[in-house]
Protein backbone atom coordinates (compact mmCIF):
# COMPACT_ATOMS: atom_id res chain seq x y z
CA UNK A 1 0.00 0.00 0.00
CA UNK A 2 1.21 3.51 -0.78
CA UNK A 3 0.29 4.76 2.66
CA UNK A 4 -1.81 7.78 3.45
CA UNK A 5 -1.72 10.23 0.58
CA UNK A 6 -2.32 13.93 1.01
CA UNK A 7 -2.52 16.70 -1.52
CA UNK A 8 -1.33 19.27 -2.08
CA UNK A 9 1.99 19.11 -0.21
CA UNK A 10 2.20 22.89 -0.08
CA UNK A 11 -0.48 25.50 -0.43
CA UNK A 12 -0.04 29.26 -0.39
CA UNK A 13 -3.20 31.29 -0.55
CA UNK A 14 -4.44 34.78 0.17
CA UNK A 15 -6.54 35.62 3.15
CA UNK A 16 -10.22 35.17 2.40
CA UNK A 17 -9.76 32.44 -0.18
CA UNK A 18 -11.17 28.96 0.13
CA UNK A 19 -8.69 26.17 0.74
CA UNK A 20 -9.35 22.46 0.26
CA UNK A 21 -7.01 19.80 1.56
CA UNK A 22 -7.35 16.22 0.39
CA UNK A 23 -6.59 12.84 1.88
CA UNK A 24 -6.67 9.24 0.75
CA UNK A 25 -6.40 6.83 3.70
CA UNK A 26 -4.80 3.42 3.63
CA UNK A 27 -7.14 0.94 2.00
CA UNK A 28 -9.12 -1.01 4.57
CA UNK A 29 -8.59 1.48 7.38
CA UNK A 30 -11.92 2.53 8.79
CA UNK A 31 -10.76 5.47 10.87
CA UNK A 32 -9.54 8.75 9.41
CA UNK A 33 -8.14 11.65 11.42
CA UNK A 34 -7.32 15.24 10.59
CA UNK A 35 -4.65 16.90 12.75
CA UNK A 36 -3.17 20.38 12.70
CA UNK A 37 0.39 21.04 13.77
CA UNK A 38 1.65 24.45 14.89
CA UNK A 39 4.59 25.57 16.96
CA UNK A 40 2.35 26.99 19.64
CA UNK A 41 -0.21 24.22 20.01
CA UNK A 42 1.64 21.13 18.84
CA UNK A 43 -0.46 18.41 17.21
CA UNK A 44 -4.19 19.01 17.61
CA UNK A 45 -6.91 16.57 16.58
CA UNK A 46 -9.45 18.49 14.53
CA UNK A 47 -11.95 15.80 13.54
CA UNK A 48 -12.11 12.09 12.94
CA UNK A 49 -14.32 9.69 11.02
CA UNK A 50 -15.31 6.07 11.44
CA UNK A 51 -16.64 4.33 8.33
CA UNK A 52 -17.05 7.74 6.67
CA UNK A 53 -19.16 9.14 9.52
CA UNK A 54 -17.81 12.07 11.57
CA UNK A 55 -17.47 10.94 15.18
CA UNK A 56 -16.01 13.93 16.93
CA UNK A 57 -15.48 17.39 15.46
CA UNK A 58 -14.95 19.17 18.75
CA UNK A 59 -11.41 20.03 17.72
CA UNK A 60 -12.47 22.05 14.70
CA UNK A 61 -11.53 25.59 15.63
CA UNK A 62 -14.32 27.53 13.95
CA UNK A 63 -17.22 27.26 11.56
CA UNK A 64 -14.84 28.26 8.81
CA UNK A 65 -13.50 24.71 9.00
CA UNK A 66 -15.43 21.78 7.59
CA UNK A 67 -14.56 18.20 6.71
CA UNK A 68 -16.23 15.54 4.67
CA UNK A 69 -15.66 11.90 3.86
CA UNK A 70 -17.89 10.99 0.93
CA UNK A 71 -16.45 7.48 0.64
CA UNK A 72 -13.96 5.16 2.28
CA UNK A 73 -11.06 6.32 0.15
CA UNK A 74 -11.34 10.08 0.21
CA UNK A 75 -11.69 12.94 2.66
CA UNK A 76 -11.44 16.71 2.43
CA UNK A 77 -10.77 19.46 4.92
CA UNK A 78 -12.01 22.84 3.81
CA UNK A 79 -11.31 26.28 5.21
CA UNK A 80 -13.55 29.06 4.00
CA UNK A 81 -12.61 31.87 4.29
CA UNK A 82 -8.98 31.28 5.20
CA UNK A 83 -7.07 33.52 7.61
CA UNK A 84 -3.34 33.96 8.31
CA UNK A 85 -3.71 32.22 11.68
CA UNK A 86 -4.76 29.05 9.83
CA UNK A 87 -1.19 28.70 8.58
CA UNK A 88 0.03 25.32 9.80
CA UNK A 89 0.84 21.82 8.67
CA UNK A 90 -2.27 19.70 8.33
CA UNK A 91 -1.88 15.95 8.67
CA UNK A 92 -4.27 13.22 7.75
CA UNK A 93 -3.92 9.83 9.40
CA UNK A 94 -5.76 6.53 9.27
CA UNK A 95 -6.01 3.47 11.48
CA UNK A 96 -7.62 0.07 11.69
CA UNK A 97 -8.11 -0.65 15.41
CA UNK A 98 -10.50 -3.51 14.70
CA UNK A 99 -7.51 -5.57 13.63
CA UNK A 100 -5.62 -4.70 16.79
CA UNK A 101 -3.50 -2.05 15.11
CA UNK A 102 -4.46 1.00 17.07
CA UNK A 103 -1.58 3.15 15.87
CA UNK A 104 -2.24 5.89 13.35
CA UNK A 105 -0.45 6.03 10.03
CA UNK A 106 0.26 9.54 8.85
CA UNK A 107 0.40 11.19 5.48
CA UNK A 108 3.15 13.58 4.46
CA UNK A 109 1.09 16.58 5.45
CA UNK A 110 0.00 19.77 3.71
CA UNK A 111 1.88 22.90 4.64
CA UNK A 112 -0.62 25.74 4.42
CA UNK A 113 0.45 29.35 4.31
CA UNK A 114 -2.20 32.04 4.30
CA UNK A 115 -0.87 35.50 3.46
CA UNK B 1 -9.80 14.39 31.45
CA UNK B 2 -7.45 12.38 29.30
CA UNK B 3 -4.15 14.00 28.45
CA UNK B 4 -0.54 13.42 27.48
CA UNK B 5 2.24 15.56 28.93
CA UNK B 6 5.80 15.79 27.70
CA UNK B 7 8.08 17.51 30.15
CA UNK B 8 10.81 18.77 27.90
CA UNK B 9 10.03 20.99 24.96
CA UNK B 10 13.57 21.25 23.69
CA UNK B 11 16.55 19.04 24.45
CA UNK B 12 20.10 19.52 23.21
CA UNK B 13 22.64 16.72 23.54
CA UNK B 14 26.02 15.81 22.17
CA UNK B 15 26.52 12.66 20.14
CA UNK B 16 26.95 9.51 22.24
CA UNK B 17 25.09 11.03 25.18
CA UNK B 18 22.26 9.06 26.73
CA UNK B 19 18.71 10.21 26.18
CA UNK B 20 15.56 10.07 28.24
CA UNK B 21 12.42 11.95 27.23
CA UNK B 22 9.61 12.08 29.72
CA UNK B 23 5.96 11.34 29.03
CA UNK B 24 3.07 11.15 31.47
CA UNK B 25 -0.52 10.38 30.66
CA UNK B 26 -3.91 10.65 32.28
CA UNK B 27 -6.54 8.08 31.30
CA UNK B 28 -8.79 5.64 33.09
CA UNK B 29 -9.24 3.16 30.27
CA UNK B 30 -7.06 0.50 28.66
CA UNK B 31 -3.68 1.97 27.86
CA UNK B 32 -2.08 1.83 24.44
CA UNK B 33 0.92 4.16 24.24
CA UNK B 34 3.13 5.23 21.38
CA UNK B 35 6.19 7.24 20.57
CA UNK B 36 6.31 8.84 17.16
CA UNK B 37 9.25 10.60 15.55
CA UNK B 38 9.11 13.45 13.04
CA UNK B 39 12.34 14.15 11.17
CA UNK B 40 12.73 17.67 9.79
CA UNK B 41 10.25 18.30 7.01
CA UNK B 42 8.74 14.83 7.23
CA UNK B 43 5.61 13.20 8.54
CA UNK B 44 5.20 11.36 11.81
CA UNK B 45 6.48 7.80 11.93
CA UNK B 46 5.90 5.21 14.60
CA UNK B 47 8.97 4.58 16.75
CA UNK B 48 7.52 2.04 19.17
CA UNK B 49 4.30 1.08 20.88
CA UNK B 50 3.06 -0.52 24.08
CA UNK B 51 -0.17 -2.51 24.20
CA UNK B 52 0.28 -5.03 26.99
CA UNK B 53 2.77 -7.51 28.41
CA UNK B 54 6.41 -6.63 28.90
CA UNK B 55 6.51 -2.99 30.06
CA UNK B 56 9.89 -2.49 28.41
CA UNK B 57 9.30 -1.98 24.74
CA UNK B 58 12.01 -1.92 22.11
CA UNK B 59 11.58 0.05 18.93
CA UNK B 60 13.49 0.96 15.84
CA UNK B 61 16.91 2.64 15.73
CA UNK B 62 17.89 1.53 19.22
CA UNK B 63 15.08 3.31 21.05
CA UNK B 64 13.18 1.79 23.93
CA UNK B 65 10.47 2.92 26.31
CA UNK B 66 9.30 1.73 29.69
CA UNK B 67 5.68 1.72 30.77
CA UNK B 68 5.38 2.31 34.52
CA UNK B 69 1.73 2.01 35.44
CA UNK B 70 2.14 3.33 38.97
CA UNK B 71 3.70 6.51 37.66
CA UNK B 72 1.46 6.86 34.60
CA UNK B 73 4.64 7.23 32.60
CA UNK B 74 6.06 6.03 29.31
CA UNK B 75 9.55 7.50 29.01
CA UNK B 76 11.62 7.12 25.87
CA UNK B 77 15.28 6.18 26.15
CA UNK B 78 18.31 5.62 24.01
CA UNK B 79 21.73 4.80 25.49
CA UNK B 80 23.79 6.63 22.86
CA UNK B 81 22.29 9.18 20.50
CA UNK B 82 23.48 10.01 17.00
CA UNK B 83 23.33 13.22 15.01
CA UNK B 84 20.68 11.58 12.82
CA UNK B 85 18.35 11.37 15.84
CA UNK B 86 17.74 15.10 15.54
CA UNK B 87 13.96 15.27 15.25
CA UNK B 88 10.79 16.00 17.14
CA UNK B 89 9.42 13.21 19.33
CA UNK B 90 5.78 12.80 20.25
CA UNK B 91 4.27 10.65 22.93
CA UNK B 92 0.73 9.53 22.14
CA UNK B 93 -2.13 7.75 23.87
CA UNK B 94 -4.86 5.68 22.24
CA UNK B 95 -8.25 6.20 23.86
CA UNK B 96 -9.99 2.87 23.47
CA UNK B 97 -13.40 4.27 24.43
CA UNK B 98 -13.26 6.68 21.49
CA UNK B 99 -10.87 4.91 19.11
CA UNK B 100 -8.80 8.05 18.75
CA UNK B 101 -5.22 9.05 19.51
CA UNK B 102 -4.13 12.16 21.35
CA UNK B 103 -0.62 13.54 21.34
CA UNK B 104 1.69 15.37 23.66
CA UNK B 105 3.08 18.70 22.50
CA UNK B 106 6.31 17.11 21.39
CA UNK B 107 9.97 17.40 22.34
CA UNK B 108 12.45 18.84 19.89
CA UNK B 109 15.72 16.94 20.14
CA UNK B 110 18.84 18.52 18.72
CA UNK B 111 22.02 16.45 18.60
CA UNK B 112 25.31 18.29 18.29
CA UNK B 113 27.84 16.55 16.05
Amino acid sequence: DAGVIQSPRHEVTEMGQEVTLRCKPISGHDYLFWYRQTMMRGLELLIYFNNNVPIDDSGMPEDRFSAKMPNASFSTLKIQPSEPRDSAVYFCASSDPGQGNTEAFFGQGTRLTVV
Amino acid sequence: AQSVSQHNHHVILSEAASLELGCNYSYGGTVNLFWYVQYPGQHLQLLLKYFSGDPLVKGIKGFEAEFIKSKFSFNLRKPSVQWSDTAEYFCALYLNRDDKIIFGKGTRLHILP
Side-chain angles (χ1 to χ4, degrees):
Chain A
D1 200 310
V4 177
I5 300 173
Q6 292 186 245
S7 64
R9 291 291 307 277
H10 302 274
E11 177 80 39
V12 180
T13 190
E14 291 185 343
M15 183 174 63
Q17 297 297 307
E18 177 181 296
V19 175
T20 300
L21 312 181
R22 296 173 178 79
C23 175
K24 180 180 187 305
I26 292 173
S27 177
H29 282 194
D30 51 3
Y31 280 83
L32 183 141
F33 307 87
W34 282 101
Y35 289 89
R36 178 172 69 175
Q37 184 181 30
T38 61
M39 289 286 289
M40 292 298 294
R41 296 175 177 264
L43 206 59
E44 304 172 274
L45 177 62
L46 301 178
I47 184 172
Y48 71 106
F49 297 82
N50 177 26
N51 291 321
N52 314 337
V53 176
I55 302 301
D56 183 355
D57 65 354
S58 61
M60 297 284 260
E62 299 172 36
D63 291 345
R64 298 183 296 106
F65 286 70
S66 63
K68 293 182 181 179
M69 192 166 185
N71 57 61
S73 59
F74 184 65
S75 177
T76 60
L77 178 68
K78 187 178 292 186
I79 308 173
Q80 165 63 18
S82 58
E83 297 183 3
R85 58 196 168 116
D86 301 330
S87 297
V89 181
Y90 291 81
F91 286 103
C92 177
S94 69
S95 72
D96 185 19
Q99 298 299 317
N101 297 319
T102 56
E103 70 260 34
F105 294 81
F106 281 77
Q108 296 280 346
T110 295
R111 181 173 295 276
L112 174 65
T113 304
V114 183
V115 298
Chain B
Q2 50 267 24
S3 66
V4 178
S5 299
Q6 293 183 240
H7 315 303
N8 313 101
H9 297 296
H10 200 174
V11 173
I12 301 174
L13 294 172
S14 297
E15 274 194 310
S18 64
L19 169 72
E20 181 160 3
L21 301 183
C23 173
N24 285 92
Y25 68 92
S26 173
Y27 186 53
T30 302
V31 172
N32 286 182
L33 290 156
F34 311 91
W35 277 96
Y36 282 82
V37 60
Q38 184 180 29
Y39 297 104
Q42 295 191 24
H43 65 295
L44 277 78
Q45 305 169 47
L46 185 67
L47 204 52
L48 49 78
K49 60 187 178 184
Y50 169 79
F51 286 178
S52 63
D54 190 344
L56 185 62
V57 178
K58 295 193 182 298
I60 61 172
K61 303 187 180 186
F63 285 91
E64 66 179 30
E66 185 175 12
F67 171 59
I68 303 180
K69 188 175 182 179
S70 61
K71 295 185 177 180
F72 299 92
S73 70
F74 189 56
N75 291 356
L76 181 70
R77 299 195 292 249
K78 186 171 183 177
S80 176
V81 294
Q82 301 172 302
W83 178 78
S84 57
D85 293 326
T86 294
E88 189 159 13
Y89 293 81
F90 294 89
C91 184
L93 170 69
Y94 170 73
L95 308 179
N96 69 304
R97 294 171 188 158
D98 305 303
D99 278 330
K100 67 180 182 182
I101 298 177
I102 60 172
F103 287 80
K105 290 194 179 297
T107 298
R108 285 182 179 268
L109 176 64
H110 186 74
I111 306 299
L112 302 174

